[in-house]
Amino acid sequence: MTVSNDSLMIANVSRRRFLGGMAGASALVLAARWDMALASDEEKQYGAAGMPGGWVDDPNVFIQIDPDGSVTIINHRSEMGQGIRTSLVMVAADELGADWDRVAVQQARADQDRYGNQNTDGSRSMRHWYDPMRRAAASARMMLEQAAANEWGVPASECEAGVHEVAHKASGRTLGFGELAEAARELAVPERSAIELKPIEAHRYIGQEADPVRQRGSGNIERPMAIDGEEIVEGSATFGADIQFDDMVHAVIARPPVLGAKVASVDDSEALKVTGVEKVVTLDTNSEPAGFKPMGGVAVIASNTWSAMQGRDALKIEWDMEAAGDNARYNTDDYRQALEKAAQSPGKVIRSSGDIQKTLDGADQTIEATYYMPHMAQAPMEPPVAVVRLRDGKAQAWAPIQNPRAGREGLAGVLGLDKEDVTLNVTLLGGGFGRKSKPDYVLEAGLLAKETGGRPVKVQWSREDDVHHAYFHALSVDRLEGALDADGKAKGWRHRTLSPTITSLFQEDPEHKGGFELGMGFNTMPFDVPAIQLENPEAESHARIGWFRSVYNLPHAFAIQSFAAEMAEAAGKDHRDYLLELLGPARRIDPRDFGDSWNYGEDPSVYVIDTGRMRNVIETVTAKADWGRDMPKGRGLGLAFHHSFQSYTAIVIDAEVGDDGSVTIHNADIAFDCGFQVNPERIRSQLEGACVMGIGIALHSEITFREGRVQENNFHQYNVPRMEHAPKQVRTHLVNNDPELPMGGVGEPGLPPVAPAVCNAIYAATGKRIRQLPVNDQLAV
Amino acid sequence: MTTLTINGTTHELDVPDDMPLLWAIRDIVQLTGTKFGCGMALCGACTVHLDGEPIRSCTTTVGNAAGGKITTIEAMKEDPVGQQVQNAWLDLGVAQCGYCQAGQIMSATALLKQNATPSDAEIEDAMTGNICRCGTYNRIRHAIHYAADAMQEDS
């Protein structure tokens, strides 16, 4: 796509469906603006209301109807493969009564004041936006009905919106949405208390999974096709990397090899001789904490990406490693050993019940295990990339970004502009997984835009840049001790968890995990054991630590679900039966009773820890997988479950270990309970993808540091799953699709139980217990 | 000047012979369907066809591609096999983020042109060089069979 128009705003409009321009003169533009119904300051806010920017349900913000009947839904959440551009539009279209074929989606710019919270992480988009989007669309529908009533001189109660039209049953008259748009715009927005939502059963798109295959040529769509689907398969979808301008320049940056190192000197004479290289710019290294700030380094600006890369290779840079302090001595082998040593000693007590030491001392049997999960890089297939143009004191930016507000306000900061003078257009994201929650790459483009005389500049990260300078998943050591009585029943459980914390991005030397990290399956551990002690010894941070899909749920689930299997083995009991015994009877636990005041930001009186739902996914998945059946030699079934992002997942993995130690995953059965389901098809694909990523975490993916430098460079060293690593079959079993249940997350909760299920299957197949990830060649004999 | 023939159109480019074809396609010709993922022929996001063979454009130089027929994802909707693959991708909802899918479709199309009824093992063999971080592999495998079936029905 080539664009050189000053007024260009990337729309990401699905071209197939888009029929009209935004905010046309006669479009439905509603004047009224609602303020959020905020409770008193003293009262804690939960869910969307507790997020920066809160929620907005003003139809004027999200819905436009043109006189030709085309409906445009504004989507303000970032699309990175989770399907929110499709799923939220399904919600709006259903509640409005719009015909899917006449609905287009337009991506919102970064503007949290206008749209409410846009930070697309934490598996929150649907659980926070289902209700506001329904209200916005229902309001618009009621205004269309009122407009029709006025036209016909009948009571609005006699007018009902059907599919893309309003009908007056008594007279048989109908008016299309487009014909009503102009009149409807003059009407007042209904009071929130007067909004009438459709009954769930009246929805045509929500929950639709009738047939996963498009009926070619029939004109019937059994379920909505994914927005952007055609553009993706035709190569015309616009990701961040695809923004082009005729006068654009391209930049790559040689970043400090160690976090905090500074440029001591640079010789750019050879770089400037490379054809196409225009300019070399040294960027300041920011002081720690790293935050979302650019890392500094030396940028090469050129007429094309290749020239910029060639120029970077020709730079001669001396780095001041002293500036990096201890980071320059960061060695993950040593660090792991230090954490394993620290795990032998007591740490900060996070939760305690009963007398754990006495229970361990008096137990008939005790077992102990230490688990390790390495650093990992998110490595989205689209490496970080951003375009910024600075002209006449205003900045225009285009970026694939999960956190648009952080990008916009960060740009305003580095450019010294008011945020009103910064426009950030959100493109499609070629994967996110948490990496694109941090806008450092966008801010780099902002800094370089000051150097290009008003021309747009694209900062392109190479894969090596991405692997070296991720915001890494935290390395972790988890040590568990279990006490069993003579019957094998669990009497004591001690868990010490050690990891650098993401808080280290924002403050100097935090030593403990934050509440939002402990709340990811650690202090919320649900087992019904008399003596429990959960501790968090100290751990320093020497690299940028950041969110990686599912975050600290990964090590917590790996350790807890592996150890539960080890306890079952010690007790001589079936793993599933033992898990259910550990869970005890179905209980609804207030997370605050476990010391978790975070609860993913949700109301703990609504979103409880429900061991009944845990039992249900375990029982479902083991039944579907025919748990307990005889397996061929070298092949075994492994089970794990986890509760995260307010959803419940249980997995059975059927794995075979070859004589050479290679692992083949034959089947994966996944039972999933996220409460009410809007787009079951996309829920299934998220679970399938999480399963594959989890297999990679179990078997292959690891980032190591030596002397503060990442040792892996590209996909030949940082291994991620390929087709042969995927299960030969994945079966997803969605349960509890109940509108009365509070909605849980989807994008992340499928991931945490995968790695322990794989390792439990390896144990069943071989008798070899994996406590250190990734498996790599541990099974080779 | 180097002459590249891309999707049947001839382009005269003033670029060095050692420039990877990928960057000539993306930055100079400005066809952006072909993606950058690794720069080392490790991920397949940049897959295009050169004289019908799937190649990694990130490690194929402009000099080596000159004189050949280069085909990119943008031409697949005109290609009978490419169309079947695209339809299969849509019918089965393969794509998640979609960034790697142009490369996946180019590899799958090349496979089906050489082998109209590939087995699972043959699919894995042909597709192992294409990474999808979203993990859509099961649907890709399914979609290749599905496209193969559709080709059989049409023939």
Side-chain angles (χ1 to χ4, degrees), chain A residues 201-316:
Chain A
E201 56 274 15
H203 289 151
R204 304 171 72 227
Y205 308 127
I206 292 172
Q208 181 63 262
E209 200 183 22
D211 188 342
V213 175
R214 179 174 54 160
Q215 299 298 302
R216 264 192 226 124
S218 70
N220 294 324
I221 295 174
E222 304 231 340
R223 66 172 161 74
M225 294 297 293
I227 302 280
D228 305 312
E230 285 192 18
E231 290 78 8
I232 285 170
V233 301
E234 292 176 359
S236 60
T238 304
F239 296 88
D242 300 332
I243 299 296
Q244 302 277 7
F245 294 89
D246 287 338
D247 61 342
M248 188 170 79
V249 289
H250 302 254
V252 297
I253 299 173
R255 294 174 189 80
V258 175
L259 179 62
K262 289 180 157 62
V263 177
S265 68
V266 57
D267 174 357
D268 60 9
S269 53
E270 292 300 315
L272 288 167
K273 288 179 192 166
V274 172
T275 305
V277 170
E278 297 182 9
K279 195 171 186 179
V280 174
V281 179
T282 299
L283 300 170
D284 291 338
T285 293
N286 286 292
S287 58
E288 286 194 73
F292 297 155
K293 294 174 285 194
M295 298 181 74
V298 182
V300 177
I301 300 172
S303 60
N304 64 80
T305 313
W306 174 243
S307 293
M309 288 175 165
Q310 295 284 93
R312 178 170 70 172
D313 288 347
L315 290 171
K316 296 185 188 72

Side-chain angles (χ1 to χ4, degrees), chain A residues 86-374:
Chain A
T86 302
S87 304
L88 260 189
V89 172
M90 284 165 65
V91 171
D94 242 341
E95 199 59 48
L96 183 64
D99 175 0
W100 188 256
D101 277 344
R102 285 191 273 175
V103 173
V105 57
Q106 178 164 324
Q107 190 65 30
R109 297 170 174 181
D111 190 349
Q112 211 151 274
D113 298 334
R114 177 172 175 79
Y115 300 109
N117 186 270
Q118 292 182 270
N119 187 4
T120 312
D121 73 0
S123 298
R124 284 190 296 255
S125 289
M126 189 53 74
R127 79 176 196 259
H128 283 185
W129 287 92
Y130 175 71
D131 288 332
M133 196 55 82
R134 277 185 82 191
R135 290 197 298 271
S139 295
R141 167 174 44 79
M142 291 169 70
M143 294 164 73
L144 291 162
E145 289 170 341
Q146 184 63 56
N150 295 350
E151 173 72 21
W152 295 323
V154 300
S157 59
E158 294 179 10
C159 300
E160 193 177 354
V163 179
H164 232 87
E165 64 179 20
V166 177
H168 182 242
K169 276 199 183 131
S171 64
R173 285 174 292 188
T174 61
L175 281 168
F177 282 0
E179 296 170 285
L180 293 164
E182 256 182 285
R185 67 184 278 223
E186 305 297 333
L187 300 174
V189 175
E191 294 288 331
R192 190 169 294 121
S193 60
I195 297 173
E196 294 166 21
L197 299 175
K198 283 184 178 174
I200 298 296
E201 56 274 15
H203 289 151
R204 304 171 72 227
Y205 308 127
I206 292 172
Q208 181 63 262
E209 200 183 22
D211 188 342
V213 175
R214 179 174 54 160
Q215 299 298 302
R216 264 192 226 124
S218 70
N220 294 324
I221 295 174
E222 304 231 340
R223 66 172 161 74
M225 294 297 293
I227 302 280
D228 305 312
E230 285 192 18
E231 290 78 8
I232 285 170
V233 301
E234 292 176 359
S236 60
T238 304
F239 296 88
D242 300 332
I243 299 296
Q244 302 277 7
F245 294 89
D246 287 338
D247 61 342
M248 188 170 79
V249 289
H250 302 254
V252 297
I253 299 173
R255 294 174 189 80
V258 175
L259 179 62
K262 289 180 157 62
V263 177
S265 68
V266 57
D267 174 357
D268 60 9
S269 53
E270 292 300 315
L272 288 167
K273 288 179 192 166
V274 172
T275 305
V277 170
E278 297 182 9
K279 195 171 186 179
V280 174
V281 179
T282 299
L283 300 170
D284 291 338
T285 293
N286 286 292
S287 58
E288 286 194 73
F292 297 155
K293 294 174 285 194
M295 298 181 74
V298 182
V300 177
I301 300 172
S303 60
N304 64 80
T305 313
W306 174 243
S307 293
M309 288 175 165
Q310 295 284 93
R312 178 170 70 172
D313 288 347
L315 290 171
K316 296 185 188 72
I317 305 170
E318 295 286 336
W319 298 100
D320 171 10
M321 291 296 181
E322 288 302 310
D326 285 348
N327 292 351
R329 288 175 283 282
Y330 185 43
N331 179 324
T332 40
D333 286 345
D334 296 344
Y335 185 74
R336 173 188 173 186
Q337 284 177 20
L339 291 193
E340 285 175 349
K341 185 154 179 273
Q344 299 296 322
S345 304
K348 179 181 172 187
V349 175
I350 303 300
R351 191 179 126 195
S352 184
S353 58
D355 187 331
I356 186 63
Q357 196 57 55
K358 199 171 153 192
T359 305
L360 285 165
D361 290 344
D364 289 288
Q365 187 184 358
T366 60
I367 65 167
E368 177 275 313
T370 301
Y371 302 93
Y372 174 74
M373 188 179 281

Side-chain angles (χ1 to χ4, degrees), chain A residues 2 212 241-242 305 681 721 727, chain B residues 26-27 30 35 91 137-139:
Chain A
T2 300
D242 300 332
T305 313
E681 197 280 329
Chain B
R26 286 186 57 82
D27 288 353
Q30 298 193 343
K35 302 304 189 205
D91 286 358
Y137 298 122
N138 292 81
R139 291 192 189 214

